[in-house]
């Protein structure tokens, strides 16, 4: 009989005990418990929330840190509160469900101070290590890496046991190494942590290692100083590589802007001051295409540049053809008058664009495949710049094939080398001139499509590149495509190496002085070409 009574008592007590334990570990109960107690009790409540390991508690803790956590006076239920006029909109801290609007007098703020805010930051970092979203787990690991809070070590070890994603695991291991350096671990563990930080994220870890080396001595300090030296060497090499990439990127832009000029100026000997406006027309063509797609066919936005390229070539090429037939054909052999005439055309085109589109910058968006950046061995390559480099090389290769492998290219080269002989062989030199000028202008138009992705589309767009384009063509060698390519890349890289020491404006001036001195030594540029411009 006594055994039966004990058994029945156990049946009654055990569920009550389980309910009590569950209430102590249930995030909602712990959050609602913040409605009562002082600040010391609140610290214990926050630590209890951290002990649950439930990432759902993060919004409530963040709201508490921001001063946006309130409890309803009538039932002591805790909510995230947002001001709505004279009332508060109460939001469930776990489900984010809007409970409704309540008068200010019906709720009271859960108190918090700076000490609790520091604790909350640490707890949030711990909880988010277990988030189902890998990006949140990486962000949490990075936060711990920066703070190095020793209290995060246990949570990191628990998260590392169940972490399967390699990139997240690497971030957590780096965070653990940071924590080890600020904990009471052994020297061997600290040296291993130093090696891991050096190999894993040297640039971000450099301030941490500098601080640690200043506070340490013996073998640990020596290991930290050695790691600092290796990291600084690696950073110096990466900085040089990044500068070279920036120079190549700038060089590809100069190549795009100058390659059309290499045809009109280099091959034909025409100083076309309206070349920049051909680039501008290509950029505005891109803007118009994107506006049509935005309003009528938004699903085609990622294909907008593919649609704009042929249209830009036709618009700028047609404009160049008309210029040659109506103005330039009468001015061959009179370079000063050609310069003045094309400068006048450039002013007309700029004003026409201002009249149609206005003088303000126009928005040209990046397709998704041109957005973001790529990491390559510690270098950051932005997607739009990378694609422009690829596009510039493609345009160069296509133009090279046209000039070397087609009948039109053969006629163009024949007219360039000996106009009279070409005419006597039956080549219609006036039409070759017109089509050559149209080709150069069309290439400038597709350059404008690319430049619209990295520069402001405005009536003055072309003016930013016309001087640089002439410098590239003259430096590389008038009329030589390989010279244009090498000249553009050389000037781009040189400009980027000079900018940190001289500034952007002075760097351009130094480049210009260098070209003037270089031309004094080699008047025909890097690669001399026999042609009409040379014979003249």
């Amino acid at each position: 009989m006594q055994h039966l009574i004990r058994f029945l008592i156990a049946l009654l007590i055990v569920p009550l005990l389980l309910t009590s334990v569950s209430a102590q570990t249930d995030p909602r109960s712990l959050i609602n418990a913040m409605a009562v107690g002082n600040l010391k009790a609140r610290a214990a409540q926050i630590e209890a929330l951290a002990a649950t390991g439930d990432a759902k508690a993060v919004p409530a803790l963040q709201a508490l840190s921001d001063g946006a956590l309130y409890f309803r006076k009538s039932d002591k239920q805790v909510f995230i509160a947002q001001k709505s006029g004279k009332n508060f909109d109460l939001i469930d801290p776990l489900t984010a469900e809007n409970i409704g609007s309540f008068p200010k007098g019906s709720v009271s703020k859960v108190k918090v101070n700076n000490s609790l805010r520091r604790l909350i930051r640490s707890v949030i970092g711990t909880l988010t290590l277990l988030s189902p979203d890998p990006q949140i787990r990486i962000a949490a690991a990075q936060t711990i890496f920066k703070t190095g809070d020793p209290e995060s070590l246990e949570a990191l070890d628990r998260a590392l046991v169940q972490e399967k994603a390699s990139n997240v695991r690497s971030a957590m291991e780096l965070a653990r190494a940071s924590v080890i350096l600020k904990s009471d671990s052994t020297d061997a563990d600290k040296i291993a942590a130093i090696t891991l930080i050096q190999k894993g994220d040297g640039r971000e870890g450099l301030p941490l290692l500098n601080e640690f080396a200043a506070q340490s001595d013996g073998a640990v300090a020596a290991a930290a100083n050695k790691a600092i030296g290796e990291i600084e060497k690696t950073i110096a090499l990466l900085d040089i590589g990044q500068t070279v990439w920036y120079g190549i990127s700038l060089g590809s832009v100069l190549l795009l802007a100058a390659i059309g000029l290499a045809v009109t100026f280099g091959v034909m000997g025409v100083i076309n001051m309206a070349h920049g406006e051909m680039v501008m027309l290509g950029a505005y063509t891109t803007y118009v295409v994107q506006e049509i797609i935005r309003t009528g066919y938004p699903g085609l936005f990622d294909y907008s540049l593919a649609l704009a390229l042929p249209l830009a070539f036709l618009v700028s090429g047609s404009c160049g053809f008309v210029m040659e037939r109506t103005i330039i054909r009468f001015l061959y052999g009179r370079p000063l008058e050609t310069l003045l005439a094309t400068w006048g055309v450039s002013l007309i085109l700029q004003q026409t664009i201002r009249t149609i589109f206005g003088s303000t910058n126009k928005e040209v968006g990046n397709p998704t495949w041109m957005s973001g950046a790529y990491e390559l061995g510690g270098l950051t390559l932005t997607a739009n710049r990378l694609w422009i480099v690829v596009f510039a090389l493609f345009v160069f290769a296509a133009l090279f094939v046209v000039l070397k492998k087609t009948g039109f290219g053969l006629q163009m080269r024949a007219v360039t080398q000996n106009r009279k002989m070409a005419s006597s062989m039956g080549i219609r030199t006036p039409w070759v001139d017109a089509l050559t000028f149209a080709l150069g202008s069309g290439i400038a138009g597709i350059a404008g499509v690319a430049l619209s992705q990295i520069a402001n589309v405005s009536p003055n767009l072309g003016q930013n590149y016309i001087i640089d384009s002439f410098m590239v063509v003259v430096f590389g060698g008038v009329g030589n495509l390989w010279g244009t390519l090498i000249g553009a890349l050389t000037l781009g890289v040189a400009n980027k190496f000079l900018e940190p020491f001289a500034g952007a404006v002075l760097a351009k001036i130094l480049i210009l002085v260098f070209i003037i001195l270089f031309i004094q030594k080699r008047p025909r540029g890097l690669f001399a070409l026999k042609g009409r411009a040379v014979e003249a």
Side-chain angles (χ1 to χ4, degrees), residues 14 25 55 80 87 128 140 189 204 235 237 241 283-284 293 298 410 460:
V14 168
T25 58
I80 298 173
N87 297 330
T128 48
D189 287 339
E204 291 294 328
I235 290 175
L237 290 174
Y284 271 95
I293 289 176
L410 179 62
N460 298 320

Side-chain angles (χ1 to χ4, degrees), residues 325 415 419-420 422-423 426-434 532:
R325 288 285 83 192
V415 173
R419 169 179 285 271
K420 292 182 179 180
S423 180
I427 296 176
R428 301 175 65 184
T429 55
W431 283 103
V432 171
D433 289 336
R532 186 189 309 167

Side-chain angles (χ1 to χ4, degrees), residues 201-222:
D201 197 351
R203 191 183 292 270
E204 291 294 328
L206 190 58
L208 173 65
L209 291 178
N210 279 323
E211 179 184 353
F212 177 75
Q215 299 172 353
S216 306
D217 53 21
V220 177

Side-chain angles (χ1 to χ4, degrees), residues 335-463:
L336 182 58
E337 293 179 27
T338 305
L339 184 151
L340 292 174
T342 53
W343 180 54
V345 171
S346 74
L347 296 178
I348 292 171
L349 289 174
Q350 287 182 46
Q351 191 56 46
T352 301
I353 291 296
R354 285 192 181 91
T355 302
I356 298 173
F357 296 100
S359 58
T360 56
N361 295 342
K362 298 301 178 183
E363 178 185 358
V364 176
N366 291 119
T368 54
W369 50 272
M370 285 189 73
S371 303
Y374 304 101
E375 294 292 332
L376 180 63
L379 302 179
T380 302
L381 312 179
T382 54
N384 57 351
R385 293 277 183 174
L386 181 60
W387 281 108
I388 286 175
V389 171
V390 173
F391 179 68
L393 295 176
F394 173 78
V395 171
F396 173 84
L399 182 59
F400 187 84
V401 170
V402 168
L403 294 182
K404 300 295 183 181
K405 303 295 182 181
T406 67
F408 171 66
L410 179 62
Q411 292 182 7
M412 185 192 304
R413 285 183 286 126
V415 173
T416 300
Q417 293 175 12
N418 194 319
R419 169 179 285 271
K420 292 182 179 180
M421 182 63 74
S423 180
S424 68
M425 295 294 292
I427 296 176
R428 301 175 65 184
T429 55
W431 283 103
V432 171
D433 289 336
L435 293 176
T436 300
F437 200 87
L439 175 64
S441 299
I443 293 172
I446 62 177
V449 176
L451 295 180
S452 69
Q453 300 300 295
I454 58 173
N456 293 325
V457 177
S458 70
N460 298 320
L461 171 65
Q463 296 300 306

Side-chain angles (χ1 to χ4, degrees), residues 505-523:
V505 176
L506 186 56
K508 283 186 177 293
I509 295 173
L510 292 174
I511 292 292
L512 178 59
V513 171
F514 165 75
I515 291 176
I516 292 172
L517 296 175
F518 179 82
I519 295 302
Q520 297 299 313
K521 184 70 175 177
R522 292 179 63 93

Side-chain angles (χ1 to χ4, degrees), residues 64-394:
L64 176 61
S65 177
D66 297 339
L69 200 67
Y70 285 71
F71 65 89
R72 196 163 49 193
K73 294 178 181 179
S74 60
D75 55 6
K76 304 297 183 184
Q77 296 290 304
V78 175
F79 300 93
I80 298 173
Q82 295 179 349
K83 286 186 178 180
S84 178
K86 295 183 178 180
N87 297 330
F88 277 115
D89 287 337
L90 300 186
I91 298 171
D92 190 291
L94 295 178
T95 65
E97 178 187 357
N98 194 324
I99 304 302
S101 182
F102 291 81
K104 290 183 179 180
S106 66
V107 295
S108 182
K109 182 184 289 190
V110 178
K111 294 181 180 180
V112 66
N113 58 18
N114 289 333
S115 176
L116 289 177
R117 288 189 177 95
R118 287 191 292 270
L119 176 61
I120 289 170
R121 283 197 296 270
S122 173
V123 168
I124 288 176
T126 301
L127 287 177
T128 48
L129 287 172
L130 304 173
S131 169
D133 187 342
Q135 295 303 319
I136 293 178
R137 299 201 300 275
I138 289 175
Q142 290 172 342
T143 299
I144 294 174
F145 178 80
K146 293 176 182 177
T147 60
D149 185 3
E151 295 180 3
S152 305
L153 185 59
E154 183 179 346
L156 277 168
D157 288 337
R158 186 166 63 248
L160 278 166
V161 169
Q162 49 186 297
E163 186 57 62
K164 296 180 180 179
S166 58
N167 60 334
V168 180
R169 188 175 185 84
S170 297
M172 288 183 178
E173 288 173 346
L174 284 172
R176 189 180 187 279
S178 172
V179 171
I180 290 294
L181 293 184
K182 294 188 177 181
S183 67
D184 296 328
S185 302
T186 64
D187 287 354
D189 287 339
K190 290 183 178 181
I191 291 173
I194 290 169
T195 303
L196 183 61
I197 292 173
Q198 176 192 337
K199 293 179 178 178
D201 197 351
R203 191 183 292 270
E204 291 294 328
L206 190 58
L208 173 65
L209 291 178
N210 279 323
E211 179 184 353
F212 177 75
Q215 299 172 353
S216 306
D217 53 21
V220 177
N225 286 319
K226 182 180 178 182
I228 290 169
E230 293 297 323
I231 290 172
E232 288 176 343
K233 289 179 183 178
T234 303
I235 290 175
L237 290 174
L238 287 176
D239 287 343
I240 291 174
Q242 194 73 55
T243 302
V244 170
W245 162 249
Y246 289 149
I248 292 173
S249 175
L250 175 60
S252 68
V253 172
L254 295 178
L255 176 63
L256 279 173
I259 197 168
L261 193 64
V263 175
T264 56
F265 175 55
V267 175
M268 300 182 65
V270 174
I271 303 176
N272 180 18
M273 294 301 293
H275 179 78
E277 279 56 54
M278 301 298 107
V279 175
M280 175 195 67
L281 290 177
Y284 271 95
T285 301
T286 309
Y287 164 72
V288 172
V289 168
Q290 288 197 351
E291 283 299 297
I292 293 172
I293 289 176
R294 281 192 184 102
T295 55
Y297 313 94
L300 297 177
F301 188 81
D302 279 351
Y303 304 96
S304 59
L305 297 188
L307 297 173
L309 281 172
L311 291 175
F313 183 86
L314 289 174
V315 170
S316 297
S318 299
C319 185
F321 184 85
V322 172
M323 280 177 59
E324 201 282 337
R325 288 285 83 192
T326 57
I327 300 174
I328 294 172
R329 62 180 294 197
F330 303 108
L331 301 175
Y332 287 128
R334 295 146 69 183
L336 182 58
E337 293 179 27
T338 305
L339 184 151
L340 292 174
T342 53
W343 180 54
V345 171
S346 74
L347 296 178
I348 292 171
L349 289 174
Q350 287 182 46
Q351 191 56 46
T352 301
I353 291 296
R354 285 192 181 91
T355 302
I356 298 173
F357 296 100
S359 58
T360 56
N361 295 342
K362 298 301 178 183
E363 178 185 358
V364 176
N366 291 119
T368 54
W369 50 272
M370 285 189 73
S371 303
Y374 304 101
E375 294 292 332
L376 180 63
L379 302 179
T380 302
L381 312 179
T382 54
N384 57 351
R385 293 277 183 174
L386 181 60
W387 281 108
I388 286 175
V389 171
V390 173
F391 179 68
L393 295 176
F394 173 78

